[in-house]
C-alpha cells in the first residue's frame, strides 16, 4: 500500500475512510521504485510515531494504531530486528539495483553454497531454494563483514532482547488479532475478490499494465519479485493482460477466469500464512519482549459490535489507564522438544523440509498424500505381477509375513 496506484488490488483505505481518521504510509512511493525495503518503511514509520516535533503522533498525544497486513513490517516497528547495511546512494527510479537484487540473479544452489562458506549457521536455517533470504544474509555479510547470524545474536543478547530479536521499541504495546473460522474466512475472501472485480479491478490492472509493465514485458524485463509488481493479483492476471486483443474472445475469457480463480486461491493461502505467522512468532515465543496478544472473533459480521468493537475498546482503554484488561491474552503451549531447524528429505516429493512442524504439515499435505497413494498403487501392482509370475512356486514372504517385492 505504500506504492502509488493499484488501489483496488491492494485494498487501500478509501478516501472517505481516510477523512474520518488520519492515515499514514499510503501511496507515497513511485511504482517504478523496486528497491524500497522494510528498512525504508521502518525508518519513515518510526519517525512519524516519535516525539520530535508537534507533527508526530506521540507528540500530539495520540496513539499509533499499526494495521496489517504484512506482519514482518509490523515486527520491524515493534522490535529491534533489522540489520542496517550500507546506505543507498540513489533511490530514484531507474537507479542501479541494490546488491541483494544482484545476488538473487545467481543460481539458488550457488547462492546457498556461498552463504554456507561465510555463515554456516544462517545457511543451515534457510531452505536452499529461498533465494531472497539467502541473498539478504549474503548482502549483510558483504556490507558489514559480520555474519548475519552473529548480528542477530547480538540483538537478542541486548537488555530486553529475546527470541524475536532485540528489545521492544514501545514497551506498552498490545496486539489485537482478528481471526475467523476458516470456512467463513474463505467465503469472505472469495466475495472480496468478486467485490474488487465489481469495483473496476480489471480496468485498474489494464491501465497499470499499459503505463508501467507493457514495455518491460516486450523487452522480457518484467519482474514480479520486487516492488509493487509483487502485489497479490497483478501476476495472476499476467497471461490475460498480455494476450488481451491478441487472441480469440473465448481464449481471453478462459484466461480471465483462470486469473480470477488464481487470485482467490492465492488470497486464501496468504491469509493462512498470516495466521500461521501470528501463532509461530507472537504466540509460541515466550518472553518479556513479546506484547500480549488478544484474540477477537470475526466469523460472524452481524456480531461485529459485540465480538470486536466493544472488547477491543475495553482492552485499549485498559492499556491507556494502566490497568489489567478484562480479557485474557491468547496463550499457546510451546513444544520444548520441537526442532525448528531439523532437515528432512521427502523422497516421494523430492523436497527438503526444514523444521519438525513443517515436516508434520508436509506429511499431511494433499501433494504428499497423492504421491503416497500413487506409490502404494505401484506397489500393489508389483505384488500382483509377482504373484502371477510365480503362480507355480510357493509364495515368498518377509519376516512380517508380507509378500516380498
Amino acid at each position: 500500500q505504500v506504492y502509488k496506484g493499484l488501489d483496488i488490488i491492494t485494498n487501500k483505505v478509501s478516501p472517505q475512510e481516510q477523512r474520518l481518521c488520519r492515515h499514514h504510509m499510503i501511496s507515497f512511493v513511485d511504482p517504478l521504485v523496486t528497491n524500497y525495503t522494510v528498512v525504508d518503511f521502518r525508518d519513515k514509520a518510526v519517525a512519524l510515531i516519535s516525539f520530535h516535533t508537534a507533527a508526530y503522533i506521540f507528540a500530539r498525544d495520540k496513539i499509533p494504531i499499526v494495521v496489517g497486513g504484512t506482519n514482518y513490517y509490523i515486527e520491524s516497528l515493534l522490535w529491534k530486528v533489522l540489520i542496517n547495511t550500507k546506505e543507498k546512494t540513489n533511490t530514484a527510479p531507474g537507479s542501479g539495483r541494490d546488491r541483494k537484487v544482484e545476488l538473487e540473479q545467481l543460481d539458488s544452489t550457488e547462492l546457498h553454497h556461498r552463504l554456507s562458506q561465510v555463515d554456516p549457521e544462517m545457511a543451515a536455517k534457510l531452505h536452499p531454494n529461498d533465494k531472497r533470504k539467502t541473498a539478504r544474509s549474503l548482502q549483510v555479510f558483504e556490507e558489514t563483514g559480520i555474519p548475519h547470524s552473529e548480528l542477530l545474536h547480538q540483538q537478542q543478547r541486548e537488555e530486553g532482547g529475546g527470541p524475536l530479536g532485540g528489545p521492544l521499541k514501545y514497551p506498552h504495546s498490545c496486539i489485537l488479532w482478528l481471526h475467523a473460522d476458516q470456512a467463513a474466512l474463505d467465503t469472505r475472501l472469495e466475495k472480496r475478490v468478486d467485490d474488487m472485480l465489481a469495483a473496476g479491478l480489471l480496468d485498474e490492472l489494464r491501465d497499470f499494465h499499459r503505463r508501467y509493465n507493457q514495455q518491460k514485458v516486450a523487452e522480457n524485463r518484467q519482474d514480479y519479485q520486487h516492488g509493487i509488481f509483487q502485489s497479490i493479483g497483478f501476476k495472476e492476471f499476467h497471461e490475460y493482460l498480455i494476450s488481451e486483443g491478441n487472441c480469440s474472445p473465448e481464449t481471453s475469457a478462459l484466461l480471465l477466469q483462470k486469473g480470477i480463480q488464481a487470485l482467490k486461491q492465492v488470497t486464501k493461502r496468504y491469509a493462512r500464512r498470516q495466521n500461521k505467522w501470528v501463532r509461530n512468532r507472537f504466540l509460541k515465543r515466550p518472553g518479556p519482549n513479546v506484547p500480549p496478544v488478544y484474540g477477537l472473533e470475526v466469523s460472524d459480521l452481524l456480531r461485529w459490535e459485540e465480538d470486536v468493537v466493544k472488547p477491543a475498546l475495553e482492552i485499549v482503554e485498559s492499556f491507556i489507564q494502566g490497568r489489567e484488561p478484562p480479557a485474557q491474552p491468547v496463550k499457546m503451549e510451546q513444544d520444548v522438544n520441537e526442532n525448528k531447524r531439523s532437515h528432512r528429505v521427502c523422497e516421494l516429493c523430492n523436497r527438503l523440509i526444514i523444521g519438525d512442524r513443517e515436516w508434520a504439515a508436509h506429511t499431511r499435505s494433499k501433494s504428499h498424500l497423492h504421491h503416497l497413494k500413487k506409490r502404494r498403487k505401484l506397489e500393489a501392482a508389483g505384488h500382483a505381477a509377482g504373484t502371477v509370475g510365480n503362480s507355480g512356486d510357493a509364495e515368498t514372504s518377509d519376516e512380517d509375513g508380507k509378500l516380498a517385492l
Side-chain angles (χ1 to χ4, degrees), residues 3 6 30-37 73 97-105 131-133 135-136 139 208 213 216 221-232 234-235:
Y3 294 95
L6 292 183
D30 189 291
L32 292 181
V33 172
T34 59
N35 55 357
Y36 185 85
T37 69
Y73 279 61
R97 295 195 292 183
D98 64 24
R99 179 57 177 157
K100 177 175 174 287
V101 176
E102 292 175 358
L103 288 167
E104 287 177 20
Q105 307 310 307
K131 293 181 73 171
R132 299 186 72 172
K133 290 183 180 178
R136 173 56 181 163
Q139 179 196 23
F208 198 86
N213 204 43
K216 290 185 176 183
R221 292 189 300 109
Q222 76 272 16
D223 179 7
Y224 293 130
Q225 300 300 317
H226 300 92
I228 195 171
F229 298 101
Q230 66 185 310
S231 301
I232 287 178
F234 196 70
K235 54 184 174 293

Side-chain angles (χ1 to χ4, degrees), residues 111-112 115 126-128 130-138:
L111 202 59
H112 197 264
L115 182 61
L126 298 178
H127 195 288
D130 194 341
K131 293 181 73 171
R132 299 186 72 172
K133 290 183 180 178
T134 305
R136 173 56 181 163
S137 291
L138 263 178

Side-chain angles (χ1 to χ4, degrees), residues 42-61 170:
R42 187 272 316 272
D43 291 346
K44 184 174 177 64
V46 168
L48 285 167
I49 292 171
S50 71
F51 293 95
H52 294 161
T53 73
Y56 299 139
I57 297 172
F58 279 155
R60 289 184 284 114
D61 201 25
Y170 311 104

